[in-house]
Amino acid sequence: MTVTNPTAKRPKAARSKQSQTTTTAMLFLAPFLITTLIFFFYAFGRAIYYSFTDFNLFNTPKLIGIEPYRDVLADPSFRRALANSLIFAIVTTTLQTIFSLLMAVALNNKIRGIAFFRSAWYMPSITSSVVITLIFLWLFQRRGIANYLITQWQAYQPIVLTLLGVLIVVQIAQVLWERSRKLPAGWLDPALAAVSALIAIIVVLILNTTGLVSVREVAPYDYQYFADKWISIGGVRVLSIPLLVIIIQNTFTTVPTLMLFFLAGLQSIPGSLYEAADIDGATPFQKLMNVTVPMLRPVTFYVVTVGLIGTMQMFDQVAVIGSAAPQDTLITLAFYVYTNTFKNGAAPVNMASAAAIVLALIILSMVFVQRKFFVAPEAN
Amino acid sequence: MTAIQTERRAAASNHDAWLTRRRWARAGWLYVFMLVMSFFFLGPFLMGLLSSMKDNPNEYPPKVIIPQLTAQYVSRAYNLGIQGGNSGWNGGLTPGREVNFDVSVRSPADAPKDAPVVSLFPYQPVSLVAIARQAQAKDYAQLKTVQVSQTGDTRVYRTTVTYPSLTAQTGEVIRAKLATPDADVRATLPSGETVKVTLDTPAAQAKQYELSESQRVELVKAGENYYLRGPLFERTPMQVDVQRGQSIVNSTLPPSDKQNFDRSFAFRNITPGILGYTFNNYRRAFNETMDPKSGRSLFFSWVLNSFLYAFLRVAAAVIFCSLAGYALARFDFPGKNLIFLGAVLFVQMVPSQVNLVSNYVLLKDLGLLNIWGLWFNGLVAAGGVFLMKQFFEGMPKELEESASIDGAGPFTTFWKVMLPQAGPALIALAITQFQGAWNDFFWPLVLLRQNTDFTLTVGLSSFSQLYGGQGDYGLILAGAILSAIPVIIIFIIFQRYFVDTGSDSAVKG
């Protein structure tokens, strides 16, 4: 870009034109800069200041050094929040990146009605996190749809497993037969699989009417998702079940947005690369791993960055679920900051500020590390 | 020789047919997969929508076919609404009306043959705020149950609910609301005029101390006087019990609650109308969240607040973000890069929790803990500036050059030449800002302190917390569906902008 240097020797008219441009630009930027200064930079500075004081929302702040940071780091609930946030961010970002890539690949097919599917799949990301959290709370109740579906799966297990078994056997038989006729049939040949599926359905229907395979009687599956339950590794509580539900929910809502980024990236990959891969006889999986994934590195970088920034700040879901789940299982850094700011009585705002600064530092360093080590050369 | 050729050709065409078949099959599987995934993504909303109409959204096992959506029961609800309140949509029970409700009871040979015990029961809304006790249909209506037919061991009983008028006077019937009583009972007419209500019968006088302020009533205007016909009821809850050995097998509307091995049925409302039957939870969201001070529906206020906030955000973004984005894209001035890095990129990376305390204290000191403070706090979105900067950078320079040759200043150029060209980007900006504001939760939760000031998201989350996390899911689901509707409508209209915006800037940026 062309940087004009105001100190360079230039005619007077040009210099005054430059200063005029600067004034106009500043006028244009004024509303943005003023509000950013007040509500961001001033607030940011004040948060840093508070984090070194004994401020509790009602007293006059007095500097007390790094004590708030020491308090925060010693606070078990902060440590839990930190662990929860990091685990949530890592697991969710991984899941949403993989799923959104796979979905984008699926949606990149040129078939009729693709616009409908794209809109339908996009639905979860337009509605608010509050609405979706409330719906998920309802789905994952003790006697909710999630448990109902698991009960149904248990009840229909014999039928489903028989169906799958017959399908696989028939498919293998068909492929072997086709190969004996010198036709290059793959193990997952779609046309043969359709026939196999049909045969499997008929076989299962016959078995069902003769009573050989039938629905099992099972007790209703009765799992409490929002209780103090943990997945531990070596005695260390790693991931709580309520947080796992939120991971599922967050992946569900963010995948469609991220999918769009991948979709845009996919459309800019030249088709000739796939044609070349086809000539070399690459399988769809090889094409995905050797063409699509490397070509999407810049987009992946962006998606992972956005994902990390978003997931580290997760707040809405925890606040909506509130007291419905034990605090330890769900508390995140963002929620820790919020609860400490609005604690009844004297709120440890200094600790809240210190925690907020820690959160900001983690996010900034994550983005920095990302940019430093994982960015593809094309992205620059 | 020809034999070999024919064989080869046959093999080739065979191979072609095989490939075509494969292609079709692959498309078929793809469609199956797409449909399954669509169901997966729409499923929670569809289940929520369906269950928001049920009597009991926590029904287990959950059913997909519900009476609230079957033509037969909806039309019966409509008829009962007309019988009770002269309105097929709103239903209710009004003075001088009679409602017939049938119940079939099976009494096997060795069981008692008694008629069922039918009674009305009180219903007080379980709402966010305590509201004045409303008059109950059970204190005013009379019931009579007669057997109308018998097939085998099943007898059909018809219960007639009669609500006699409290006055013998005839004349023009007026709907009004009771006002604060002094020595007399008084009512506010729809015209706003407050009048004295005459209680001319012993029946009316007996009830005068039971009626509380803001109760909706019907009056008869005869001459100069207004006579009380009786209070209006939104619902008529009824209960039917039968003896041991008997069971209830059918009724005009299906029961809201069955107990005692089908010997006790409760009907939430036997004069529902369509709104009271199919959309009962939606009506409750509006009607049962009355603010006792203003008498206005809290839910309705939340909807208005959300719209106001979203509108303000969109208006501010369209003006200020495009100004700032234009300046960053098209002017050369010292510090431009710093502003872009610091005020646009950095701002987007720092979590909003950092600014929580400071902005809360600041807005509290300014007395702005309301929608205006909320708006002010997020006046110019850094993301919007980024979007507009990207857009203006892609526009041809010639436009501005020709404008400046014509002697237009920078502001005129921006306002008259560049902004009108920015249509698509502005629409994209507007809808992302609308969506962002509508779905915003963190700042509204922090800044809005009074429940009349809430936006929908904060209000909805308070629905779930008020019942100790257990939640009245009928109300929650109805509220959730209602609050999702505006963004869904906008999404359907402006679909391609949703699908285009984010991804474009991602790949460019």
Side-chain angles (χ1 to χ4, degrees):
Chain A
M1 76 172 247
T2 54
V3 180
T4 41
N5 186 356
T7 55
K9 276 186 192 168
R10 280 185 304 142
K12 215 176 181 180
R15 229 176 301 158
S16 84
K17 188 161 187 286
Q18 174 62 41
S19 77
Q20 202 187 332
T21 313
T22 310
T23 321
T24 324
M26 284 303 159
L27 268 179
F28 274 45
L29 282 166
F32 171 56
L33 287 183
I34 292 170
T35 47
T36 310
L37 275 180
I38 298 175
F39 290 111
F40 184 81
F41 287 102
Y42 173 66
F44 194 47
R46 202 142 73 142
I48 295 176
Y49 170 65
Y50 285 156
S51 72
F52 292 107
T53 65
D54 62 349
F55 190 47
N56 65 9
L57 214 53
F58 301 103
N59 62 346
T60 334
K62 196 170 84 231
L63 280 172
I64 53 167
I66 59 161
E67 205 174 306
Y69 286 92
R70 225 180 290 148
D71 291 348
V72 156
L73 292 176
D75 184 358
S77 120
F78 173 82
R79 288 193 205 160
R80 191 67 255 169
L82 183 64
N84 280 352
S85 287
L86 287 174
I87 286 163
F88 178 80
I90 290 164
V91 176
T92 311
T93 309
T94 315
L95 286 180
Q96 68 196 15
T97 309
I98 293 171
F99 282 122
S100 52
L101 173 65
L102 292 179
M103 280 174 53
V105 171
L107 270 188
N108 202 29
N109 282 298
K110 288 193 176 48
I111 56 169
R112 221 175 260 276
I114 197 77
F116 164 78
F117 293 120
R118 217 182 269 186
S119 316
W121 294 18
Y122 195 60
M123 260 294 275
S125 63
I126 58 165
T127 29
S128 78
S129 49
V130 174
V131 166
I132 298 186
T133 310
L134 288 172
I135 292 181
F136 264 69
L137 255 176
W138 169 72
L139 289 175
F140 283 87
Q141 290 175 89
R142 249 185 113 181
R143 281 288 168 98
I145 312 270
N147 276 345
Y148 175 74
L149 289 179
I150 294 175
T151 314
Q152 292 306 98
W153 153 246
Q154 287 176 341
Y156 283 91
Q157 221 170 23
I159 291 187
V160 175
L161 291 182
T162 320
L163 187 84
L164 277 179
V166 175
L167 195 145
I168 291 169
V169 169
V170 175
Q171 176 79 359
I172 291 173
Q174 283 200 87
V175 171
L176 290 178
W177 187 66
E178 290 269 308
R179 283 188 179 176
S180 74
R181 288 169 60 211
K182 302 274 186 298
L183 282 167
W187 288 111
L188 296 172
D189 187 280
L192 298 182
V195 177
S196 309
L198 200 69
I199 293 174
I201 290 171
I202 293 169
V203 168
V204 168
L205 279 180
I206 292 168
L207 288 178
N208 194 27
T209 42
T210 54
L212 283 172
V213 176
S214 58
V215 183
R216 284 196 299 184
E217 282 282 326
V218 290
Y221 189 75
D222 203 4
Y223 192 83
Q224 246 185 308
Y225 293 91
F226 295 101
D228 200 4
K229 292 183 180 155
W230 294 81
I231 298 170
S232 340
I233 298 175
V236 182
R237 293 175 150 194
V238 180
L239 176 64
S240 73
I241 300 298
L243 197 63
L244 191 64
V245 174
I246 297 192
I247 287 177
I248 296 171
Q249 190 226 311
N250 209 297
T251 311
F252 176 79
T253 48
T254 44
V255 155
T257 324
L258 301 177
M259 167 192 86
L260 283 186
F261 299 141
F262 279 124
L263 205 52
L266 279 175
Q267 277 158 7
S268 62
I269 298 180
S272 55
L273 285 178
Y274 290 107
E275 280 158 25
D278 274 335
I279 292 168
D280 292 346
T283 63
F285 182 72
Q286 284 171 332
K287 276 192 275 185
L288 177 72
M289 294 314 285
N290 298 325
V291 182
T292 313
V293 171
M295 287 302 287
L296 284 178
R297 266 186 73 185
V299 188
T300 313
F301 166 74
Y302 179 82
V303 165
V304 172
T305 313
V306 168
L308 282 177
I309 296 178
T311 47
M312 277 306 289
Q313 296 185 46
M314 195 268 282
F315 171 82
D316 298 8
Q317 289 88 335
V318 186
V320 171
I321 290 175
S323 56
Q327 169 118 54
D328 253 15
T329 57
L330 279 185
I331 188 169
T332 58
L333 285 179
F335 192 68
Y336 178 86
V337 174
Y338 174 81
T339 43
N340 272 6
T341 310
F342 292 107
K343 232 175 209 170
N344 286 336
V349 171
N350 53 347
M351 281 169 72
S353 299
I357 302 290
V358 172
L359 174 61
L361 287 177
I362 294 174
I363 291 177
L364 291 174
S365 55
M366 273 178 167
V367 174
F368 178 76
V369 168
Q370 267 267 77
R371 201 162 265 277
K372 192 89 185 155
F373 297 107
F374 299 106
V375 69
E378 306 95 288
N380 294 326
Chain B
M1 180 187 111
T2 43
I4 295 169
Q5 261 183 358
T6 336
E7 200 174 278
R8 273 210 190 126
R9 208 172 295 141
S13 76
N14 204 6
H15 193 72
D16 277 350
W18 185 75
L19 279 179
T20 325
R21 206 180 59 192
R22 240 179 86 123
R23 220 171 11 246
W24 277 105
R26 178 169 291 154
W29 283 112
L30 192 62
Y31 272 107
V32 170
F33 172 73
M34 293 293 210
L35 284 173
V36 169
M37 288 304 283
S38 304
F39 189 76
F40 173 74
F41 282 117
L42 295 177
F45 296 98
L46 294 178
M47 278 314 290
L49 178 66
L50 208 60
S51 301
S52 70
M53 299 183 188
K54 288 183 185 174
D55 274 331
N56 172 22
N58 293 338
E59 164 192 51
Y60 195 92
K63 287 197 205 80
V64 176
I65 294 164
I66 57 171
Q68 276 79 4
L69 287 179
T70 39
Q72 183 196 8
Y73 289 121
V74 172
S75 74
R76 284 186 189 174
Y78 184 83
N79 286 334
L80 286 167
I82 287 182
Q83 287 180 39
N86 204 14
S87 157
W89 285 92
N90 271 312
L93 189 61
T94 53
R97 292 259 163 195
E98 206 178 87
V99 180
N100 289 316
F101 194 87
D102 291 349
V103 176
S104 310
V105 178
R106 176 181 293 142
S107 324
D110 51 344
K113 304 286 181 285
D114 309 5
V117 180
V118 184
S119 59
L120 299 179
F121 61 91
Y123 176 91
Q124 283 297 342
V126 213
S127 77
L128 286 175
V129 281
I131 51 174
R133 189 183 177 279
Q134 292 180 320
Q136 297 292 331
K138 80 176 185 56
D139 301 326
Y140 293 82
Q142 288 140 21
L143 301 180
K144 205 175 79 187
T145 306
V146 289
Q147 187 182 332
V148 285
S149 67
Q150 180 173 8
T151 39
D153 54 5
T154 304
R155 294 173 172 80
V156 178
Y157 294 93
R158 172 160 297 162
T159 298
T160 310
V161 180
T162 327
Y163 178 13
S165 171
L166 290 179
T167 176
Q169 299 284 341
T170 50
E172 190 195 348
V173 175
I174 298 170
R175 295 200 165 179
K177 206 187 235 181
L178 287 188
T180 328
D182 42 23
D184 305 305
V185 177
R186 298 186 312 147
T188 313
L189 302 182
S191 59
E193 186 192 352
T194 303
V195 295
K196 175 179 178 295
V197 177
T198 313
L199 307 166
D200 64 332
T201 56
Q205 278 157 14
K207 303 286 185 196
Q208 64 173 315
Y209 299 108
E210 289 173 13
L211 294 171
S212 51
E213 193 187 334
S214 84
Q215 172 70 50
R216 288 166 62 242
V217 291
E218 251 183 22
L219 306 174
V220 174
K221 186 181 182 188
E224 282 305 297
N225 288 334
Y226 292 88
Y227 299 94
L228 181 67
R229 285 197 85 199
L232 298 169
F233 304 110
E234 194 176 65
R235 52 171 77 67
T236 319
M238 192 172 88
Q239 189 180 345
V240 179
D241 294 283
V242 294
Q243 305 277 323
R244 189 179 292 275
Q246 297 179 313
S247 61
I248 308 174
V249 290
N250 200 1
S251 50
T252 306
L253 285 181
S256 320
D257 189 29
K258 288 185 198 180
Q259 272 178 4
N260 246 344
F261 309 101
D262 289 358
R263 295 212 318 273
S264 177
F265 275 22
F267 301 90
R268 177 181 72 189
N269 188 358
I270 61 156
T271 55
I274 291 178
L275 285 180
Y277 189 63
T278 307
F279 301 104
N280 179 50
N281 288 322
Y282 292 83
R283 195 165 78 169
R284 283 178 60 213
F286 283 103
N287 288 358
E288 292 187 8
T289 54
M290 284 302 174
D291 182 18
K293 276 175 248 155
S294 60
R296 267 167 58 107
S297 160
L298 280 177
F299 192 83
F300 187 64
S301 312
W302 300 340
V303 173
L304 288 187
N305 288 341
S306 273
F307 271 114
L308 176 66
Y309 174 48
F311 172 77
L312 290 173
R313 270 271 295 266
V314 169
V318 165
I319 298 170
F320 298 137
C321 289
S322 45
L323 273 174
Y326 181 69
L328 285 176
R330 282 301 163 86
F331 291 137
D332 265 329
F333 55 92
K336 177 172 139 170
N337 264 341
L338 186 73
I339 290 179
F340 181 66
L341 285 177
V344 179
L345 291 184
F346 185 65
V347 165
Q348 282 176 288
M349 269 182 264
V350 171
S352 49
Q353 282 78 19
V354 174
N355 307 332
L356 162 65
V357 187
S358 179
N359 288 353
Y360 174 75
V361 173
L362 181 71
L363 290 169
K364 191 176 147 197
D365 291 345
L366 293 174
L368 279 177
L369 289 185
N370 52 30
I371 289 281
W372 302 102
L374 184 61
W375 174 58
F376 200 39
N377 182 41
L379 190 65
V380 192
V385 175
F386 185 75
L387 181 80
M388 293 312 289
K389 175 185 176 279
Q390 297 288 98
F391 178 80
F392 281 123
E393 270 174 355
M395 280 180 70
K397 274 254 191 307
E398 289 77 22
L399 277 171
E400 287 158 303
E401 280 161 9
S402 61
S404 81
I405 289 168
D406 290 347
F411 192 75
T412 322
T413 312
F414 169 74
W415 192 249
K416 293 264 167 70
V417 181
M418 297 305 274
L419 203 57
Q421 298 289 321
L426 287 181
I427 295 176
L429 176 69
I431 55 180
T432 45
Q433 289 294 314
F434 178 88
Q435 191 198 354
W438 189 265
N439 293 343
D440 197 4
F441 180 63
F442 179 70
W443 282 114
L445 183 70
V446 169
L447 297 179
L448 305 177
R449 296 279 115 194
Q450 270 175 331
N451 65 4
T452 46
D453 281 351
F454 285 175
T455 56
L456 254 179
T457 47
V458 184
L460 267 185
S461 73
S462 74
F463 268 175
S464 76
Q465 272 152 21
L466 251 138
Y467 303 87
Q470 189 50 47
D472 180 344
Y473 278 105
L475 219 53
I476 292 176
L477 290 176
I481 299 292
L482 280 176
S483 82
I485 286 175
V487 268
I488 291 176
I489 290 177
I490 288 192
F491 174 65
I492 291 171
I493 299 175
F494 295 106
Q495 221 196 73
R496 70 196 175 92
Y497 292 99
F498 275 87
V499 179
D500 289 347
T501 52
S503 44
D504 275 0
S505 52
V507 178
K508 276 188 213 148

